[in-house]
């Protein structure tokens, strides 16, 4: 076994330290953006970055950035990191694992006196989850120029506080436009898988090829209300019954099409919503995810075809709206190969896979060659206080991250 350069113990210390910055002690990690917990976590991260020899600043979108200058400072930056915000009652590893692994990689470079041609930056991004302002990937979208200053006043939290006010109170002079970058060559993000595949196969490293596109539909079914006792079965146009058939058809369609596509109905409402009246109005959501746009299209077209049949059969009117559409993202083949080479040299097992969850890497892929390293998480559980990754597994990911970023930062060419 090759001598490992990262420290399992230091990764554990960092994860445990950051897990303490939660507004729900004893009930998972809740660290919303621009809160006291976020401030304390940032202070810890800034200290660790500075100790790792990085020059630290907080950009105008609230992202903590630590820079290790390159021997040629004019060259574009190799960036690594992930997000530091969490969902409510989330785990200690989602996002944080990638931040901690990147800091550890920077520590190793600092201690070994590694000479990087390209500047290297470590980032702790925020509001990736969108838990506070209902619009995720703030840090990465600002870097990629996908969100502008208009959002500072448009986005509000549940208490009506605007993003601008929250950032000002946090001590930042908010300017999302100014956070845009055009000097990033590559971005590498380590993240827990948030699914069960790596653990089930006993594999150390996941090399992410595509991040699934997410298409959300709002389906409305209009029927006719009627008395539950006096309306004969054959004279009904029951909107809820028709909706139930569409939901079942959705499941059947996706199972049939396969190709890694998934669809979920997670929200439904029926009117008038009383036990003795036939429903005349039902609305439900369909969340479809797939690694290619053509698969997303295939799934929704098949669902719509089934809905037309059900519409006639149950004498209802069915309509589809598509309020949100996130395109699938293909990650860098070149960085995928570097992850593979590094994992192979270190003697780790690896597989190529897609990510069903969204990540900052989606936005970063717009402006830089982007790659993702997945590490296993126990039982595939995430966004939950039971989320867990063994520190030895995290260390393997950190070793690969270190190796990939070292290679990228020494390669010639932009
Ligand atoms: Zn995450």
């Amino acid at each position: 076994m090759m001598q490992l350069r990262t420290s399992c113990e230091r990764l554990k210390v960092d994860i445990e330290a950051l897990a303490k910055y939660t507004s729900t002690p004893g009930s998972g990690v809740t660290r919303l953006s621009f809160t006291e917990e976020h401030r304390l976590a940032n202070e810890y991260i800034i200290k660790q970055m500075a100790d790792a020899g990085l020059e630290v600043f907080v950009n105008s979108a609230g992202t903590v950035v630590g820079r290790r200058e390159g021997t040629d400072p004019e060259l574009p930056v190799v960036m690594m990191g992930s997000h530091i915000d969490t969902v409510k009652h989330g785990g200690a590893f989602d996002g944080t694992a990638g931040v901690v692994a990147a800091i550890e990689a920077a520590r190793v470079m600092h201690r070994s006196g590694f000479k990087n041609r390209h500047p290297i930056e470590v980032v702790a991004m925020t509001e990736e989850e969108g838990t506070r302002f209902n619009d995720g990937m703030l840090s990465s979208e600002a870097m990629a120029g996908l969100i502008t200053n208009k959002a500072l006043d448009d986005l509000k939290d549940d208490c009506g506080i605007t993003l601008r006010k929250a950032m000002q109170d946090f001590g930042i002079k908010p300017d999302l436009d100014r956070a845009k970058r055009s000097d990033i060559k590559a971005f590498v993000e380590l993240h827990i898988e948030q699914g069960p595949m790596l653990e089930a196969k006993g594999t150390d490293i996941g090399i992410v090829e595509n991040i699934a596109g997410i298409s959300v539909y709002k389906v409305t079914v209009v029927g006719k209300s009627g008395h539950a006792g006096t309306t004969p079965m054959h004279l009904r146009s029951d909107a809820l019954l028709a909706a139930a058939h569409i939901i079942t058809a959705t499941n059947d369609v996706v199972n049939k099409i396969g190709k890694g596509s998934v669809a979920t109905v997670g929200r439904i409402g029926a009117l008038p919503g009383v036990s003795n009246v036939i429903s005349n109005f039902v609305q439900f959501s369909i969340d479809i995810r797939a690694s290619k746009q053509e698969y997303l299209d295939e799934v929704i077209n098949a669902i719509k075809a089934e809905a037309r049949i059900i519409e006639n059969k149950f004498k209802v009117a069915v309509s589809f709206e598509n309020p949100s559409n996130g395109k699938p993202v293909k990650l860098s083949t070149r960085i995928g190969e570097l992850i593979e080479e590094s994992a192979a040299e270190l003697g780790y097992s690896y597989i190529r896979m897609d990510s069903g969850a969204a990540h900052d890497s989606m936005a970063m892929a717009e402006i830089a060659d982007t790659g993702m390293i997945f590490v296993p998480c126990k039982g595939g559980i995430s966004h939950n206080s039971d989320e867990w990754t063994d520190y030895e597994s995290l260390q393997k990911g950190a070793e690969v991250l270190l190796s990939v970023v070292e290679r990228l930062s020494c390669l010639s060419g932009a």
Side-chain angles (χ1 to χ4, degrees), residues 13-276:
V13 167
D14 286 344
I15 290 279
E16 287 179 354
L18 287 164
K20 293 201 181 94
Y21 305 127
T22 169
S23 63
T24 55
S27 178
V29 182
T30 305
R31 187 167 49 241
L32 272 50
S33 307
F34 311 120
T35 58
E36 178 64 7
E37 298 75 42
H38 182 195
R39 192 180 63 74
L40 293 168
N42 273 4
E43 275 175 13
Y44 181 86
I45 286 165
I46 289 167
K47 164 104 179 43
Q48 300 310 315
M49 284 183 174
D51 288 351
L54 302 172
E55 194 183 309
V56 189
F57 62 96
V58 179
N59 79 5
S60 57
T63 309
V64 181
V65 184
R67 182 171 167 111
R68 177 180 176 82
E69 203 49 271
T71 54
D72 190 346
E74 300 303 314
L75 287 178
V77 170
V78 176
M79 188 178 269
M80 59 177 160
S82 189
H83 63 96
I84 197 67
D85 63 307
T86 70
V87 295
K88 288 179 184 166
H89 306 283
F93 294 86
D94 177 359
T96 305
V99 174
V100 162
I103 292 173
E104 177 61 12
R107 272 188 201 120
V108 172
M109 292 178 198
H110 184 52
R111 288 172 190 208
S112 68
F114 175 70
K115 290 234 174 322
N116 43 300
R117 283 186 66 226
H118 290 260
I120 293 171
E121 290 184 1
V122 176
V123 285
M125 306 223 190
T126 194
E127 194 60 7
E128 188 270 348
E129 303 284 4
T131 315
R132 181 163 179 193
F133 292 98
N134 296 311
D135 185 59
M137 299 189 205
L138 176 70
S139 287
S140 49
E141 288 194 350
M143 275 193 203
L146 300 174
I147 188 168
T148 61
N149 277 339
K150 192 172 170 299
L152 292 173
D153 300 303
D154 288 354
L155 296 179
K156 293 190 179 87
D157 69 7
D158 291 344
C159 301
I161 298 170
T162 61
L163 177 59
R164 181 188 298 281
K165 174 85 165 59
M167 289 174 84
Q168 283 169 342
D169 291 351
F170 197 68
I172 299 162
K173 222 173 138 202
D175 190 339
L176 302 181
D177 298 351
R178 200 157 59 83
K180 185 172 178 339
R181 301 281 297 262
S182 55
D183 61 337
I184 304 172
K185 158 196 160 94
F187 178 67
V188 188
E189 180 174 19
L190 176 147
H191 204 281
I192 60 166
E193 183 200 344
Q194 301 182 283
M197 273 173 46
L198 292 175
E199 189 194 42
K201 290 177 191 271
T203 305
D204 300 319
I205 300 292
I207 305 169
V208 182
E209 296 192 302
N210 301 286
I211 303 177
I214 307 173
S215 221
V216 181
Y217 287 83
K218 186 163 91 179
V219 185
T220 305
V221 184
V222 179
K224 225 187 278 166
S225 61
H227 196 289
T230 59
T231 317
M233 296 309 278
H234 71 283
L235 290 180
R236 296 179 177 208
S237 49
D238 184 336
L240 187 50
L241 181 63
H245 280 262
I246 299 170
I247 293 166
T248 306
T250 297
N251 191 61
D252 293 344
V253 155
V254 176
N255 279 324
K256 198 168 147 212
I257 290 175
K259 299 170 188 164
S261 309
V262 291
T264 306
V265 176
R267 189 182 176 125
I268 187 164
L271 293 175
V274 282
S275 62
N276 59 359

Side-chain angles (χ1 to χ4, degrees), residues 350-373:
Y350 56 85
I351 50 167
R352 291 181 178 271
M353 60 190 298
D354 293 331
S355 170
H359 295 289
D360 283 313
S361 285
M362 296 178 96
M364 296 307 289
E366 295 276 329
I367 52 162
D369 269 3
T370 297
M372 284 195 84
I373 301 164

